Amino acid sequence: MQRFFSYSGMALISRSQIKLIRSLKLKKFRDELGLFVAEGDKCIGELRRGFDMHLCFSGGDITPDQLKQLSSLTTPQGAIAVFRKPAEMPLPDAADGLVLVLDGVQDPGNLGTIIRTCDWFGVHHLVCSAGTADCFSPKVVQATMGALARVHVHYTRDLAQYIRSAARGSSLPVYGTLLDGRNIYDIGAVPERGRGLLVMGSEGRGISPEVRQLVSHPLLVPSVGDGAVESLNVAVATAVVLAEFRRPQNGNSSL
Amino acid sequence: MQRFFSYSGMALISRSQIKLIRSLKLKKFRDELGLFVAEGDKCIGELRRGFDMHLCFSGGDITPDQLKQLSSLTTPQGAIAVFRKPAEMPLPDAADGLVLVLDGVQDPGNLGTIIRTCDWFGVHHLVCSAGTADCFSPKVVQATMGALARVHVHYTRDLAQYIRSAARGSSLPVYGTLLDGRNIYDIGAVPERGRGLLVMGSEGRGISPEVRQLVSHPLLVPSVGDGAVESLNVAVATAVVLAEFRRPQNGNSSL
């Protein structure tokens, strides 16, 4: 009898739960139900610190076939959980700390990597245009490696309006990487490192024309040598700029 | 009659060419045939500068359905080409310039982004362990945005042996990012910026134990604040370290 109860093929996940988890691959249902999915013990463990867990299945709760069916990963990681999305928060004040602004970053891997990088460099708030990938999509959640629990990701339909209001009539800098920007290593290119807004544009088109007009401090990560690619990957460019913003200032500080 | 010849649905691509292109999704056939595939006018244009083009189909040569069938992209970009892989070159001399060494980077997107970043920062040679992703796989090729034409990617079965030989008995530094490494911003952490080797490890396990022993200058990109994720994405970490290596030295240079 004992064997019966410990039979590892006996799943405790119900059909309706399977249906629920599958539906959460779509933004429509994530928004309607206020839920999202994460996979793997490590990622789930990190997210539990920041979000309420609604369901969790691992080991004998779910068969490998069921897990494979539900997983968004090439190699499922043994555990899958459903979390509640957080309530919407007011958009952040750029006087309290540097806010990263994303204008149309569409690749989920890039967005996830950017969230992970923000966590590393102590950036607590990300404000995204409506055209940016959904931070609760499975690929983004996994790429954040749990950083989603600590970095607040906001969405706004009117990014330009947010930037205008957050910059407080030019009293705070609005940085943005542009092809004709100023070398980030020039003295004076980054007058404030701990406050203001840093705008990064989409993979294909960069910062949109409307938002570009609001950039008070255009920046460029200089390339080395000749014949280089036209641009850096947006997650890489974000990281290089954030690393420079967070770099300890030397005696010949540009502040 | 003219209409017949310009009928856009009439493909000029043959069945055997379709079969060939499909086969090149697998490393086995890329190695056997010495060929690889690239997509999109821009990427193809960049790669033509560095590789011989064997076949190219766009517009009326191929139907949208055929292109979709052959494409590795979510949204096919209208053109697909087959290039010849370059002949193997001797492994690079680390006295001639900084060599980036990858010890088991498995994600194609990460490898592609790293190649693109090398091009930006003027690193001309990448040496990869046998366990690193294949730089000619479709996802890597596309993620390089054409940089593959300018950055030489080498593979070796014995990475430790290459590092030992290239470091010339400790006369050149072997940098590597390790959890107990020295802050990259410390004076003296990076005594040479233009020569030597920089080793980056795999996404899950970092640098392998055998290679770790050869790292003479362990480095760490410092995080800001508390509660941060355990690590940066490997492509992001590579970019932050390369940006620091290529950063103009100030008056208080660490050289």
Side-chain angles (χ1 to χ4, degrees), chain A residues 119-120 150 224 227 244 247, chain B residues 120 150 224 227 229 244 247:
Chain A
D119 192 25
W120 187 265
R150 287 176 298 266
V224 173
E244 183 60 24
R247 193 176 191 278
Chain B
W120 188 265
R150 288 176 299 266
V224 173
V229 285
E244 183 60 23
R247 194 175 190 278

Side-chain angles (χ1 to χ4, degrees), chain A residues 42 113 116 119-121 147 150 185 221-224 227-233 236 239-240 243-244 247-248 250 252, chain B residues 42 113 116 119-121 147 150 185 221-224 227-233 236 239-240 243-244 247-248 250 252:
Chain A
K42 200 163 174 180
T113 302
R116 182 176 173 189
D119 192 25
W120 187 265
F121 288 118
R150 287 176 298 266
Y185 305 126
V221 178
S223 65
V224 173
V229 285
E230 282 177 25
S231 63
L232 288 166
N233 164 282
V236 158
V240 171
E244 183 60 24
R247 193 176 191 278
N250 296 324
N252 55 354
Chain B
K42 199 161 174 184
T113 301
R116 182 177 173 188
D119 191 27
W120 188 265
F121 288 118
R150 288 176 299 266
Y185 306 126
V221 177
S223 64
V224 173
V229 285
E230 282 178 24
S231 63
L232 286 166
N233 164 283
V236 157
V240 171
E244 183 60 23
R247 194 175 190 278
N250 295 327
N252 55 353

Side-chain angles (χ1 to χ4, degrees), chain A residues 196-212:
Chain A
L197 303 120
L198 168 61
V199 187
M200 302 299 295
S202 85
E203 290 88 352
R205 289 181 305 273
I207 301 175
S208 62
E210 192 189 3
V211 171
R212 205 174 300 167

Side-chain angles (χ1 to χ4, degrees), chain B residues 21 23-31 34-39 47 50-52 72 81-89 108 111-112 115 128 132-144 147-155:
Chain B
I21 296 178
S23 76
L24 296 174
K25 291 190 181 182
L26 295 178
K27 181 172 191 302
K28 183 188 162 193
F29 293 109
R30 291 194 297 271
D31 287 351
L35 299 169
F36 69 97
V37 172
E39 297 185 58
L47 293 179
F51 303 102
D52 288 336
S72 301
V82 176
F83 289 92
R84 282 187 212 287
K85 284 171 61 174
E88 268 190 46
M89 289 169 64
L111 177 57
I115 294 169
C128 304
T132 297
D134 177 23
C135 71
F136 294 108
S137 82
K139 278 192 186 172
V140 179
V141 172
Q142 296 309 127
T144 69
L148 195 55
R150 288 176 299 266
V151 177
H152 301 283
V153 185
H154 311 260
Y155 288 82

